[in-house]
Amino acid sequence: MYNETMDKNNREYTDKFTDFSKKSISDFILYNSGIEYCEAGYSYGPKRRDYHFIHFVKEGKGSLEINDKKFEVHENQLFIVPAGEISTYTAAMDSPWKYSWIGFLGIQSHNYVQMLMQSSEEHFVLDCADAELYETKIMKIIDMSNDDSTASFLKINGVMYDIIGTLLEECIKHSNTSYSSSVSSKAVRYMDLHYHDDIHISDIADFAGIHPSYLAGVFKSEMGISPKKYLTNLKINKAKELLIATEDPINIIGSSVGFSDALSFSKFFRKETSLSPSQYRKDYKK
């Protein structure tokens, strides 16, 4: 049966300013957002996405199935599904949920998702004080989406930053964890700020005040990859971004990600991507 009231409350916006390939090498960028008041038993999935997304449950309840686990989610809770994970979520029959959501990706997005997930023992499900607050912010994105201007694009992504910043502040403040002062977070901050320098794992360990071997173990445990791999991914993604977005010569791009000459940068880039920087630019730059 057609429900006119429900239809008016189901709204969605998918960013149309940036190609998906360029989104993945941006620092942090919106993919989509929306509001949905679900019918009883409405289910979505199982499905894998290439971007992270967060649903904020304003009213009602439902369930999330991910990693062979099932979580019950209710009013003023949110659930996170990281990119690449297969998930299914289903509205309850007796009290179907009303939620808003935001999807995002980019080089820094994994860090934000990990920070949020580590603030909760259940990882994928977190409490929030007022899910309607996030719906209001997401509605701002949708209301601005009819304007195709660059100003609108920047304002929309500004709201997304506000949403994630507000959420991090809320969740980590009430968490028993201390991610903000953890070894891994210090290492990530150092690499994010110094990837353009010729830094080594020993430099990162010195900054965190620990032995390199201890850093490697803790970082792998908390982040799922080694610090060396994180730094490699960061340099490669930044280099890809510059190759696509600029006309800078290869030696300048190499210098921008911590290499003293074009040859060493080209060898590094080819090893990680199987393409030379010049070939990557030719294949992907429009």
Side-chain angles (χ1 to χ4, degrees):
M1 180 182 294
Y2 176 73
N3 187 323
E4 183 177 359
T5 301
M6 184 173 291
D7 185 66
K8 288 180 179 178
N9 287 308
N10 293 347
R11 302 178 63 187
E12 180 176 357
Y13 165 68
T14 299
D15 174 63
K16 51 187 178 291
F17 288 94
T18 311
D19 292 337
F20 188 88
S21 61
K22 294 183 180 179
K23 288 179 188 292
S24 62
I25 58 173
S26 300
D27 281 339
F28 184 50
I29 194 167
L30 178 73
Y31 179 77
N32 66 1
S33 60
I35 297 169
E36 186 157 10
Y37 291 3
C38 298
E39 295 181 347
Y42 171 79
S43 184
Y44 193 87
K47 187 170 183 178
R48 184 199 309 271
R49 293 182 176 89
D50 294 327
Y51 56 92
H52 312 284
F53 63 90
I54 302 174
H55 281 60
F56 304 90
V57 180
K58 182 176 77 169
E59 294 179 23
K61 57 186 179 179
S63 63
L64 167 70
E65 295 179 58
I66 186 170
N67 280 358
D68 297 321
K69 295 182 179 179
K70 185 173 182 178
F71 301 89
E72 300 301 325
V73 189
H74 56 73
E75 178 180 340
N76 287 330
Q77 285 190 316
L78 61 93
F79 61 90
I80 303 172
V81 177
E85 297 282 0
I86 297 174
S87 67
T88 302
Y89 44 97
T90 306
M93 292 298 296
D94 56 337
S95 180
W97 50 20
K98 300 178 180 179
Y99 56 56
S100 57
W101 82 86
I102 185 166
F104 53 90
L105 65 164
I107 297 170
Q108 301 296 341
S109 62
H110 176 76
N111 299 335
Y112 303 146
V113 168
Q114 288 298 312
M115 291 171 71
L116 287 168
M117 292 177 64
Q118 290 181 25
S119 72
S120 167
E121 292 183 0
E122 292 189 324
H123 299 305
F124 298 103
V125 178
L126 290 75
D127 294 327
C128 60
D130 182 9
E132 189 167 4
L133 169 68
Y134 295 99
E135 180 181 295
T136 300
K137 293 177 185 291
I138 288 169
M139 183 60 76
K140 288 182 180 179
I141 292 176
I142 295 170
D143 288 342
M144 288 189 287
S145 65
N146 292 324
D147 183 354
D148 292 337
S149 68
T150 300
S152 177
F153 167 78
L154 293 171
K155 288 179 180 179
I156 285 171
N157 278 276
V159 176
M160 178 198 63
Y161 272 87
D162 178 46
I163 289 171
I164 301 301
T166 301
L167 186 56
L168 282 169
E169 181 180 47
E170 176 182 355
C171 291
I172 292 177
K173 181 168 61 177
H174 295 99
S175 169
N176 292 324
T177 63
S178 56
Y179 186 92
S180 61
S181 61
S182 74
V183 168
S184 295
S185 66
K186 289 180 181 178
V188 165
R189 283 200 300 271
Y190 186 83
M191 287 186 277
D192 288 347
L193 291 172
H194 296 278
Y195 69 88
H196 47 77
D197 297 323
D198 183 21
I199 61 172
H200 303 278
I201 300 304
S202 58
D203 300 316
I204 303 166
D206 286 344
F207 175 78
I210 58 173
H211 192 275
S213 297
Y214 181 71
L215 169 65
V218 171
F219 195 95
K220 181 67 179 290
S221 175
E222 293 185 357
M223 303 298 294
I225 59 174
S226 68
K228 182 178 180 180
K229 184 61 176 176
Y230 179 90
L231 182 59
T232 295
N233 291 346
L234 185 60
K235 287 176 178 286
I236 286 293
N237 287 328
K238 287 291 186 179
K240 287 179 177 179
E241 181 178 1
L242 292 170
L243 286 166
I244 291 174
T246 75
E247 300 293 341
D248 292 345
I250 302 304
N251 66 311
I252 296 298
I253 291 177
S255 176
S256 299
V257 293
F259 291 87
S260 59
D261 60 84
L263 180 59
S264 58
F265 166 63
S266 295
K267 287 182 177 179
F268 168 78
F269 192 89
R270 184 186 289 275
K271 179 183 177 183
E272 297 300 325
T273 68
S274 300
L275 294 172
S276 69
S278 298
Q279 188 62 49
Y280 181 88
R281 171 177 273 168
K282 181 180 178 182
D283 289 351
Y284 292 97
K285 189 175 179 67
K286 293 183 178 180

